[in-house]
Amino acid sequence: MSDTPSIDAALVRRLVAAQFPQWADLPVRPVDSDGWDNRTFHLGDAMTVRLPSAEGYVGQIDKEHQWLPVLASHLPLPVPAPLAKGAPGSGYPFPWSVYRWIQGEVASVERIGDLTEFATDLADFLAALQRIDATDGPPPARHAGFRGGPLKTYDAETRRTIEALGDRIPGDAATTVWEAALRATWYGGPVWFHGDVAVGNLLVRDGRLAAVIDFGCSGVGDPACDTVIAWTLLSGESRQAFRDGLGVDSATWARGRGWALWKALITLAQHIDTDPVQAAVARRVMERVLSEFEESGVVGVVRVRPGHPQRRSSALRCSPVA
């Protein structure tokens, strides 16, 4: 079986007709903004069909069907509601899902009325997510891209990428921020995290945050990965409002920088010679991470052990961003 099956509207129509004939007459069309892990299609006006794009994402389906109904009742904003689970068929080798459609537009600076208000609403949502009982929740693993686990998982990849990019980036500054993130030890107990808090998974209506979608990378573990939006979308007052609203300590913030830097670096390396638009976006995130680290005047990373006083590590400094 191919690891990257061809997925189009015709395939979705065949799958729906064969397995859910009650919906066979509904129109199928691609969504305006699709993701990487799954291909998503409208099914009529009230549902979506999501199909994993490769075998590595199949585990997300059972996880979402099991846990989204549990999480939804504790959250202040709508999240996807699973309606049905499809089986392999019509030449497609993986299970797939049908969800209720949530109205809204993908978040962007232009669509958000007040970015600080948006940041506060998002922080409130993530704080509520973290308060949900994490007992028996899915731990960090392949299904979540190892989000919620230690940054060390991506240490070798990050260092190779910095070396490969050479003088096309401020490599010393990137290494300093990365090593600070690695040293920012997490001592907390596991909590729920979304795993992919990105603009494509945040919906707005009338300028306000209206829903959070795509919990395929969710799990229970270290929530630092959910702070990445602070550098991919937010800045200045909105970034501070997000951090304050979520109550993020210095060590978690440092690890969040690490997650944002890792993704920016590997994306930049992938596109720097082939896709100037994507490369520019990745470079902008990298520069935000490095400059925010420098501007914060970081002199140490707070590590908090439950029941123990705060203590600081050795001094850390970041050279200016090129």
Side-chain angles (χ1 to χ4, degrees):
M1 293 182 184
S2 172
D3 194 46
T4 54
S6 177
I7 302 172
D8 56 22
L11 170 65
V12 176
R13 292 187 193 98
R14 293 195 301 272
L15 287 168
V16 171
Q19 299 183 35
F20 302 106
Q22 69 273 29
W23 298 327
D25 293 334
L26 295 176
V28 174
R29 67 187 192 281
V31 297
D32 292 334
S33 181
D34 209 354
W36 178 263
D37 296 3
N38 296 270
R39 300 290 177 265
T40 306
F41 297 80
H42 290 281
L43 179 59
D45 295 326
M47 294 179 287
T48 59
V49 176
R50 282 166 52 85
L51 303 93
S53 61
E55 186 175 5
Y57 307 123
V58 169
Q60 298 177 359
I61 293 177
D62 285 341
K63 176 176 63 177
E64 288 197 336
H65 276 258
Q66 177 180 358
W67 288 106
L68 275 172
V70 175
L71 301 179
S73 62
H74 299 281
L75 295 172
L77 293 170
V79 298
L83 300 176
K85 187 189 304 182
S90 301
Y92 179 74
F94 310 134
W96 48 282
S97 293
V98 180
Y99 296 84
R100 182 173 294 114
W101 170 250
I102 302 176
Q103 292 290 340
E105 296 181 297
V106 170
S108 68
V109 172
E110 297 75 20
R111 290 170 175 164
I112 296 169
D114 183 320
L115 195 56
T116 298
E117 180 180 62
F118 179 92
T120 300
D121 290 344
L122 178 58
D124 289 345
F125 177 90
L126 294 174
L129 179 64
Q130 291 177 19
R131 289 193 296 269
I132 299 173
D133 183 5
T135 303
D136 297 327
R142 187 182 182 191
H143 66 86
F146 298 98
R147 290 168 178 84
L151 275 171
K152 189 173 178 61
T153 301
Y154 293 108
D155 186 30
E157 180 182 41
T158 301
R159 294 180 189 275
R160 285 196 306 268
T161 303
I162 293 171
E163 182 177 359
L165 287 167
D167 60 6
R168 304 171 87 173
I169 65 167
D172 288 346
T175 299
T176 298
V177 173
W178 178 249
E179 291 180 347
L182 290 175
R183 288 195 290 267
T185 307
W186 178 56
Y187 292 112
V191 298
W192 275 100
F193 59 85
H194 177 277
D196 193 13
V197 183
V199 290
N201 295 327
L202 304 174
L203 302 184
V204 296
R205 286 196 303 271
D206 300 324
R208 293 288 301 270
L209 179 63
V212 179
I213 62 173
D214 195 347
F215 280 67
C217 288
S218 63
V220 298
D222 176 7
C225 58
D226 279 353
T227 66
V228 168
I229 195 75
W231 297 276
T232 58
L233 176 67
L234 308 176
S235 62
E237 182 181 349
S238 62
R239 181 184 291 152
Q240 190 61 48
F242 175 74
R243 181 174 181 177
D244 291 345
L246 198 50
V248 179
D249 61 53
S250 297
T252 301
W253 198 247
R255 295 192 305 278
R257 283 195 199 101
W259 281 106
L261 181 61
W262 160 72
K263 186 61 178 288
L265 287 170
I266 63 172
T267 303
L268 179 60
Q270 179 181 359
H271 296 297
I272 194 167
D273 293 318
T274 59
D275 188 334
V277 174
Q278 289 293 326
V281 171
R283 184 179 291 278
R284 186 160 57 248
V285 173
M286 177 195 70
E287 291 173 348
R288 286 176 177 174
V289 169
L290 301 187
S291 62
E292 186 267 341
F293 179 83
E294 182 188 16
E295 291 165 5
S296 67
V298 175
V299 294
V301 176
V302 176
R303 296 172 171 86
V304 181
R305 224 185 256 274
H308 289 257
Q310 295 181 352
R311 55 189 175 89
R312 291 186 178 273
S313 67
S314 57
L316 303 170
R317 289 290 182 186
C318 179
S319 57
V321 177

